[in-house]
Amino acid sequence: EDQVTQSPEALRLQEGESSSLNCSYTVSGLRGLFWYRQDPGKGPEFLFTLYSAGEEKEKERLKATLTKKESFLHITAPKPEDSATYLCAVQALIGGGADGLTFGKGTHLIIQP
Amino acid sequence: KAGVTQTPRYLIKTRGQQVTLSCSPISGHRSVSWYQQTPGQGLQFLFEYFSETQRNKGNFPGRFSGRQFSNSRSEMNVSTLELGDSALYLCASSRTGSDGYTFGSGTRLTVV
């Protein structure tokens, strides 16, 4: 069974204080690992897809990395508008195709001015 | 570019009733997936439809069903509602189902 564990559950940072969120996963065969951000009352907003170990992607203050067992979302010099719940999900390969996404419980990030 | 549209946004139903939720995907997207989000369990995969066929299914009882129409619009039905079905139901669309998903804002279902 595919599993995704995110840590920490919650994180409070000062504006400008960089940090990393962790996503540990077990999957039979990885098709892709996804990062989303979710604001209260809204659906998840796509950030990144990573497909193989060693891959890195960046977008503004965010950088996602992937190893064979975990992924990190690095946040550099965050601003209050980066406050949100960050979700990690894996998609497994099945029968030549791809399964639905298995999500972690998320990291609730608060950036204080 | 229009996003994924889900209707209605909010719904209150009584235990034992049934409910139908609607999702219009992004134009050109043929894959539509449904997820249930609750505070305790987080986001859980219900099922995926591609070109009107159910391609994948999560671990939910048969009370949860769906369908997809020729224009890729999808509906999800829950029969014999239980209090535990109260949740945010999210729809996500993708071109192929393996290239990243765009989520709608969801339908908040409350069962009383």
Side-chain angles (χ1 to χ4, degrees), chain B residues 70-84:
Chain B
S70 59
N71 62 358
S72 292
R73 190 177 72 84
S74 178
E75 288 182 347
M76 188 190 101
N77 183 274
V78 188
S79 63
T80 318
L81 284 165
E82 300 177 359
L83 296 179

Side-chain angles (χ1 to χ4, degrees), chain B residues 9 12 16 26 37-39 47 61-62 72-73 76-77 90 92 97 100 106:
Chain B
R9 286 297 312 275
I12 300 175
I26 290 172
Q37 187 173 30
T38 60
F47 31 66
S72 292
R73 190 177 72 84
M76 188 190 101
N77 183 274
L90 291 158

Side-chain angles (χ1 to χ4, degrees), chain B residues 10-89:
Chain B
Y10 302 93
L11 206 50
I12 300 175
K13 288 287 187 178
T14 302
R15 192 171 47 184
Q17 287 185 315
Q18 74 167 10
V19 67
T20 299
L21 312 182
S22 180
C23 172
S24 293
I26 290 172
S27 178
H29 285 193
R30 296 166 65 189
S31 167
V32 174
S33 299
W34 289 88
Y35 290 80
Q36 181 194 66
Q37 187 173 30
T38 60
Q41 298 298 318
L43 271 152
Q44 293 183 286
F45 173 66
L46 282 156
F47 31 66
E48 180 203 8
Y49 286 86
F50 184 86
S51 294
E52 303 180 64
T53 301
Q54 187 180 88
R55 190 158 69 173
N56 292 309
K57 188 177 188 303
N59 190 25
F60 277 81
R63 299 186 297 107
F64 292 82
S65 63
R67 59 178 176 168
Q68 186 179 33
F69 303 96
S70 59
N71 62 358
S72 292
R73 190 177 72 84
S74 178
E75 288 182 347
M76 188 190 101
N77 183 274
V78 188
S79 63
T80 318
L81 284 165
E82 300 177 359
L83 296 179
D85 297 333
S86 295
L88 180 67
Y89 289 89

